[in-house]
Amino acid sequence: MKHPFNTYFEGMNPDLWYPIFKSHGTQRVYRKGECFCCEGAPAFYLGFIEAGYFKRVVRDFKGREQIIGFSFQNEFVGDYLSAVENEPARCEIIAVTQAKVMLCEGRVVQEVLANHPEAQREFSSRIIRQTHDRLIDLYKKSPKERYLDILKSCPEILQQVTLKELASYLQITPTYLSRIRTAMLTE
């Protein structure tokens, strides 16, 4: 994708990260539907996506899959806290397409961040900002406004994800998303 879906990645120095993943990591191909990490299990690796994409999923109180995020090509994938703090993952990360990933152990990423405090501050600040902005938008903006925001910031997303996946991310039904799209065509 031309524009990162995950805004925390904008402005981060790929010259710092990609060589670390390349020299300390291994390449792995995930099949469609395969878990990068599973809820409740420790995730020992973080990844840099070379091709494909992943969805971040939780199950709601009725057991339904809810998409809380995506990771696309040229972005990171993984459960950071699980990988560096040895905590159980709190969500599943699932390959939506076949995906090629450069894997690196969480402890290596933790060491790099410890040796580059400015990168750690920047990374942490951007993740907190993205999460905070998403939470505020879920309460403050209408589903149509959230949909328009995604199209504006990441116009390629409709070529990447299904409408069902996008609806789940927007926390609306696919039918409601279709109504929004139909109404926009007649405006």
Side-chain angles (χ1 to χ4, degrees), residues 8-9 55 58 65 75 93 102-103 125 128 150 170 185:
Y8 72 84
F9 200 66
K55 62 184 175 181
V58 296
E65 178 181 281
E75 292 184 342
I93 301 175
M102 187 59 66
L103 295 176
S125 174
I128 290 167
I150 286 176
L170 292 170
L185 291 174

Side-chain angles (χ1 to χ4, degrees), residues 17-30 34-37 43-51 54 75-79 83 93 99-109:
W17 290 105
Y18 191 72
I20 291 165
F21 275 73
K22 194 88 169 148
S23 65
H24 295 283
T26 58
Q27 192 175 71
R28 170 141 187 241
V29 175
Y30 287 83
E34 188 176 356
C35 282
F36 182 87
C37 71
F44 300 107
Y45 296 95
L46 295 169
F48 186 84
I49 304 170
E50 296 179 318
F54 292 81
E75 292 184 342
F76 292 116
V77 64
D79 186 317
I93 301 175
K100 185 167 61 168
V101 178
M102 187 59 66
L103 295 176
C104 191
E105 289 184 44
R107 67 169 181 76
V108 172
V109 173

